[in-house]
Amino acid sequence: GNSVTQMEGPVTLSEEAFLTINCTYTATGYPSLFWYVQYPGEGLQLLLKATKADDKGSNKGFEATYRKETTSFHLEKGSVQVSDSAVYFCALSDRNDYKLSFGAGTTVTVRA
Amino acid sequence: DVKVTQSSRYLVKRTGEKVFLECVQDMDHENMFWYRQDPGLGLRLIYFSYDVKMKEKGDIPEGYSVSREKKERFSLILESASTNQTSMYLCASSITGGGETDTQYFGPGTRLTVL
């Protein structure tokens, strides 16, 4: 079956630090990969996505590259801000039925 | 913008009560989903629906049922609430086709406490 493993948190950083959150996956087919973000008190929002190998998704300074050879989709941002404090979820979709499988989530706190 | 709304942000119920969680989306999406979110477990799919009056079990359907009488509305029902159903419940929707089928849009969540 499909599964997603992401690095455990919590992660605490200072403003302008480099952020990376590791995500690896197991899938039987050719999934799409996603990063969702959940700000305090809110639902999940799509941050970025990639639909095939070597695609790079990017948004709000965040990037992630779909690496089929290492089955990974690591999230990176070069210079974080306090407003990036949130829970980040890696996910994959099974294109046969459009369901999403989520990782456990990583809580990121950015201090001024 | 896609908008997914949930009937309550916070809900407190007693063990054995019947609980209804309502979700409405305003973008004519075919697909709707109910998840529960628990610390350290991420999101787990309870039920989903591809069309009106259609439903399929997700990964953890036990103790839950759903209803979809209209395209825009998807209800989650706890027939007899138990304390282990205390959780955050998230509703999502997605469109079929157009390259966006697997992008889900989420509501703000309902934090349910069962006493």
Side-chain angles (χ1 to χ4, degrees), chain B residues 70-110:
Chain B
K70 294 185 178 181
K71 190 175 184 180
E72 67 271 18
R73 188 180 297 270
F74 192 35
S75 302
L76 180 69
I77 303 154
L78 287 65
E79 295 289 343
S80 178
S82 63
T83 55
N84 63 11
Q85 292 178 309
T86 292
S87 186
M88 171 72 87
Y89 290 88
L90 292 166
C91 175
S93 71
S94 70
I95 199 167
T96 295
E100 289 294 315
T101 301
D102 48 11
T103 299
Q104 294 185 14
Y105 296 87
F106 284 81
T110 296

Side-chain angles (χ1 to χ4, degrees), chain A residues 32 34 36 38 41-44 46 49 89 93 95-100 102-105, chain B residues 9 31 33 35 37 40-43 45 48 50 90 99-104 106-108:
Chain A
S32 293
F34 304 81
Y36 279 85
Q38 185 179 34
E42 299 183 13
L44 274 69
L46 178 66
K49 67 185 277 190
F89 292 93
S93 76
R95 299 189 199 203
N96 291 325
D97 62 15
Y98 318 131
K99 290 190 290 186
L100 288 177
F102 285 87
Chain B
R9 293 299 301 271
N31 310 311
F33 307 82
Y35 296 88
Q37 180 183 3
L41 297 177
L43 276 70
L45 182 64
F48 60 102
Y50 290 141
L90 292 166
E100 289 294 315
T101 301
D102 48 11
T103 299
Q104 294 185 14
F106 284 81

